[in-house]
Amino acid sequence: MREDLSLDELRAHIDTCDSELVSLLAKRRLLTEQVGKIKQQNGAPLHAPDREAELIAARRQQAQEKGVNPELVEDILRRMMREAYENQQSELACAAPQLSPIVIVGGEGAMGQLFAKQFKRSGYVVKVLDKAQQSNAADILRDAKLVLVSVPINTIEEVVASLPELDPECILADITSVKQKPLSCLLEKHKGPVVGLHPMFGPDISHWVKQTVVACEGRLPEQYQGLLEQLKIWGCYIAPMAAKKHDQAMQIIQVMRHLTTFVYGQFLARQCHTLEELRGCSSPIYQLELMMVGRLFAQSPDLYADIMLAQFEDVEGLLASYQDTFAQTLKNLKNQNKAELIKGFDMAKTYFSDSAHSFLAQSRGILNKANDAKVLG
C-alpha cells in the first residue's frame, strides 16, 4: 500500500476492511450454527471449555506475531463466542428424555417461562401449573416425571403443601434463592427424588453457557442426575453445595449485596444531584456502579423485598459486623488515623490475596466496555 495516501483514501481502505470483517462474521455465524446442529444431534454440551481455551491461546499468539494487541483479539473472540452461543439456542440436545413430561409450577412467572422455553428447546413436553390452572392441578401433575417449583420465596411452603401426591419416581425440585426451608418442605411433601436448585442468574440472560446453578442434595441423587446433565448440556456449571452452606453464602452474596445496593439507591435519591449530573462527571468505574445499582431498581420490588426479608433474621449478625466496620472506618477518617486506614486496607488485601491482581485485570476490560458504551450528549 502506498505511503502517500490521502485521509479520504485511507478511510476508504478502512471501510473496505470493515466490510470484509462483516462478511467474515456472517460466514462465522453460519459455521457456528452448523456446529450447534451437530451438537444437538450428538447430544454434546454447548460449551467446550478446552476448545475455547485452545482457540483463544492460539489467536492471542497469532496476534502477537502480527503486531496486533492480543487483548483486542481476545475481546473480539469472546464477543463472537457469546453471539455463537446465542445463535445455538434454538435447538438443544436432550440429555434425559425420561424427564418428560415436565410440569413447571409457577410457569407463568419470568423464571418459570425461562425454564419452560429451554426445556422445550431440548424437546421435552412441558406443562404449566399456575394460578389459572389450579382447578386442573391433579390432571396436569398425574404423569409428571419432573415437577419444578418456580414461585416466590414467601409462597413456596404453601404452594408445595397444596400439591397432590406425586408419582414416587417423579423428581421434585425448586429454584428459589433460599434452600434450607424450601428443601425441607419438598422433602416433607414428596417421598421420591428431591433436589434444590438455585440458578445464579435472572430471567434476562441471553444464553445459558457458563451460568452457575447451585445444586443442593435432597433425596435419591442418583435419580435426578439426568436433570443435572441436562443443565450441563445447556452449558451450565453445576456447583454442588449443602443447603445450610448455600444459605450462609447467599447471606453475603445476595442478601448483604441487595441490602447495601438498596440503601445506596435510596441515598442517591435523596441527594441534590440528578442522575444525569452524576453520570455526566462519573469515571468508568462509577458509571459501572451506577449501572449495577440501577439494575436492581429496574426489577421487581416484591422479589427483592422477599429475598431480603427471607433471611433478615439470619443476617442480623452480619449487619452488626458491617455496621461496626463502617463505624470504625468513619472513626479513623474523623481522627485522621492513616495508620488504621492502611491496616484495614491491608487486611482486606490479604483476604483477596492473588485474586486481587486477577480482578484488576478482569475489571479493566469491563471498565473499558462501560466507557465505550458511554453516550456523550
Side-chain angles (χ1 to χ4, degrees):
M1 186 179 295
R2 298 192 342 257
E3 295 184 0
D4 59 343
L5 293 174
S6 68
L7 180 60
D8 287 342
E9 288 174 320
L10 288 169
R11 285 174 171 169
H13 281 297
I14 290 173
D15 289 345
T16 300
C17 288
D18 291 346
S19 180
E20 291 174 355
L21 181 58
V22 172
S23 296
L24 282 172
L25 289 172
K27 180 180 179 180
R28 192 181 195 279
R29 173 175 178 142
L30 290 174
L31 292 169
T32 56
E33 285 178 349
Q34 291 178 43
V35 168
K37 291 178 181 178
I38 293 173
K39 287 180 177 179
Q40 190 268 339
Q41 294 166 2
N42 297 342
L46 280 184
H47 186 220
D50 293 342
R51 159 69 178 164
E52 179 180 298
E54 290 172 5
L55 188 153
I56 289 174
R59 297 293 83 79
R60 285 182 66 96
Q61 179 63 35
Q62 185 180 4
Q64 287 181 324
E65 293 169 357
K66 292 184 176 294
V68 178
N69 185 347
E71 299 297 327
L72 170 63
V73 171
E74 181 170 344
D75 280 350
I76 294 171
L77 281 172
R78 291 197 181 279
R79 181 62 186 86
M80 289 192 301
M81 288 175 182
R82 185 166 81 245
E83 185 76 12
Y85 293 139
E86 291 176 18
N87 294 337
Q88 293 172 0
Q89 292 292 306
S90 58
E91 293 182 48
L92 299 166
C94 179
Q98 71 274 13
L99 294 180
S100 275
I102 296 169
V103 175
I104 299 184
V105 180
E108 293 181 357
M111 285 298 286
Q113 289 183 51
L114 178 71
F115 271 83
K117 186 176 183 179
Q118 197 73 350
F119 277 121
K120 288 176 182 177
R121 284 169 167 170
S122 287
Y124 293 97
V125 175
V126 179
K127 302 178 183 180
V128 168
L129 175 57
D130 217 308
K131 293 178 181 178
Q133 298 84 25
Q134 279 301 317
S135 59
N136 296 323
D139 289 338
I140 293 172
L141 290 164
R142 182 168 291 114
D143 57 349
K145 297 298 186 293
L146 166 63
V147 174
L148 186 68
V149 183
S150 175
V151 298
I153 300 169
N154 62 342
T155 66
I156 188 167
E157 293 184 50
E158 178 185 352
V159 169
V160 171
S162 68
L163 294 175
E165 185 175 351
L166 302 175
D167 185 284
E169 300 299 315
C170 177
I171 300 166
L172 181 59
D174 80 299
I175 54 172
T176 55
S177 59
V178 178
K179 290 273 71 82
Q180 288 184 91
K181 289 182 179 179
L183 195 55
S184 177
C185 74
L186 262 62
L187 288 166
E188 183 177 347
K189 176 66 184 182
H190 183 49
K191 302 306 179 185
V194 170
V195 60
L197 302 175
H198 182 191
M200 300 302 297
F201 51 86
D204 59 344
I205 58 170
S206 57
H207 63 77
W208 293 58
V209 175
K210 300 183 184 180
Q211 301 290 350
T212 297
V213 178
V214 178
C216 300
E217 183 178 327
R219 182 188 298 118
L220 301 174
E222 66 281 357
Q223 294 189 33
Y224 58 72
Q225 288 308 303
L227 171 59
L228 302 185
E229 287 303 314
Q230 185 60 66
L231 293 170
K232 292 177 184 177
I233 287 287
W234 294 339
C236 294
Y237 167 70
I238 307 299
M241 189 175 291
K244 182 177 181 180
K245 194 76 172 176
H246 165 275
D247 288 357
Q248 290 172 339
M250 288 308 109
Q251 289 167 10
I252 298 172
I253 295 171
Q254 279 198 329
V255 182
M256 288 295 295
R257 183 67 261 162
H258 293 329
L259 281 170
T260 52
T261 303
F262 182 62
V263 170
Y264 190 60
Q266 294 176 83
F267 166 78
L268 289 178
R270 293 171 179 168
Q271 304 312 302
C272 62
H273 300 287
T274 66
L275 181 60
E276 289 71 23
E277 288 171 336
L278 291 177
R279 293 183 67 183
C281 60
S282 64
S283 63
I285 194 165
Y286 190 66
Q287 181 80 5
L288 185 61
E289 184 170 354
L290 285 175
M291 289 180 192
M292 298 312 296
V293 174
R295 177 181 170 83
L296 184 145
F297 294 100
Q299 300 181 64
S300 165
D302 285 338
L303 171 65
Y304 283 93
D306 285 343
I307 289 174
M308 290 185 289
L309 288 169
Q311 294 202 64
F312 175 73
E313 293 181 1
D314 296 330
V315 299
E316 282 190 274
L318 287 174
L319 282 171
S321 177
Y322 188 86
Q323 288 177 309
D324 288 345
T325 305
F326 201 94
Q328 185 60 50
T329 302
L330 288 177
K331 180 180 178 182
N332 292 334
L333 288 168
K334 184 177 180 180
N335 295 336
Q336 297 289 298
N337 195 335
K338 184 177 179 179
E340 283 300 312
L341 290 171
I342 291 175
K343 182 179 177 182
F345 188 97
D346 287 340
M347 180 182 68
K349 184 175 182 178
T350 300
Y351 174 80
F352 281 96
S353 186
D354 294 338
S355 295
H357 297 290
S358 174
F359 289 159
L360 180 64
Q362 292 173 20
S363 63
R364 188 181 297 118
I366 296 172
L367 292 174
N368 286 337
K369 289 181 176 65
N371 192 54
D372 291 343
K374 190 173 182 180
V375 177
L376 299 178

